[in-house]
Amino acid sequence: MPNEDHDNVQTEGAAMPVPPGQRRRRLALPIIAAAVALVIGAAGGAGAVKMMRPTPEMAPLTPVAISAMPASSLVTIKGKVAEIYGNKFVLQDDSGKALVETGRAGEGGTLVSRDEAVTVQGRFDDGFVHASYLVRQDGRTEALRPPKGPPHRRFEDFDHRP
């Protein structure tokens, strides 16, 4: 005789069937969580890259007279090379002269030649122009400085203990 209680008893190894609506919810939660984590990671990564990227240094395109250069500002000046001193040269226009510092790109004095007409874009500060770009008469542009980043220091420089 069959035992009526035996039919209603669940065995421990058997899995209960999951209703279809609950199965979809179980799958949707990890997918939504992964998508949210991916979006947060992408936004955070984009923000970090933007913060680490150097700011673009853009000078005005219209050249100004050398005698009218505003102090501590981005400028574009145009003239002829009057004198060359290693990585520096003197640029002269009708209004005056300016000392242009070219950095490592001008080492050896071969970047420009005397009486060459050039346009210089850079920052005027401390009495001379720190050139970032040199535009030649034929339109070729040369970047003179690498993009600025954080200063590189050795680990010992951070240790200021007595």
Side-chain angles (χ1 to χ4, degrees):
M1 169 162 148
N3 186 356
E4 293 177 12
D5 290 335
H6 183 58
D7 291 337
N8 293 333
V9 175
Q10 291 286 334
T11 58
E12 287 184 25
M16 290 190 63
V18 178
Q22 192 175 9
R23 182 178 302 145
R24 278 189 224 128
R25 272 188 256 138
R26 280 187 187 169
L27 291 176
L29 287 177
I31 291 173
I32 291 171
V36 167
L38 188 63
V39 168
I40 290 172
V49 167
K50 186 174 182 177
M51 289 176 63
M52 296 302 293
R53 185 177 304 156
T55 58
E57 185 175 280
M58 305 277 288
L61 296 176
T62 308
V64 298
I66 290 176
S67 63
M69 285 190 298
S72 298
S73 65
L74 295 173
V75 294
T76 299
I77 54 175
K78 185 176 186 176
K80 285 192 173 187
V81 177
E83 302 169 39
I84 302 170
Y85 303 102
N87 69 342
K88 296 175 181 66
F89 63 90
V90 175
L91 189 69
Q92 181 175 6
D93 69 359
D94 294 335
S95 68
K97 295 180 179 181
L99 183 62
V100 179
E101 188 267 327
T102 59
R104 288 187 177 176
E107 292 289 331
T110 58
L111 182 66
V112 294
S113 60
R114 191 176 168 107
D115 293 328
E116 180 182 3
V118 294
T119 302
V120 176
Q121 294 183 347
R123 178 170 295 282
F124 178 63
D125 197 17
D126 293 331
F128 56 96
V129 178
H130 301 272
S132 296
Y133 298 98
L134 179 75
V135 182
R136 303 206 182 264
Q137 196 166 11
D138 61 1
R140 289 182 299 141
T141 303
E142 295 183 41
L144 302 178
R145 299 189 182 282
K148 288 188 177 182
H152 297 286
R153 294 193 254 172
R154 297 184 325 250
F155 182 72
E156 294 86 27
D157 291 344
F158 291 103
D159 188 19
H160 296 293
R161 287 183 272 173

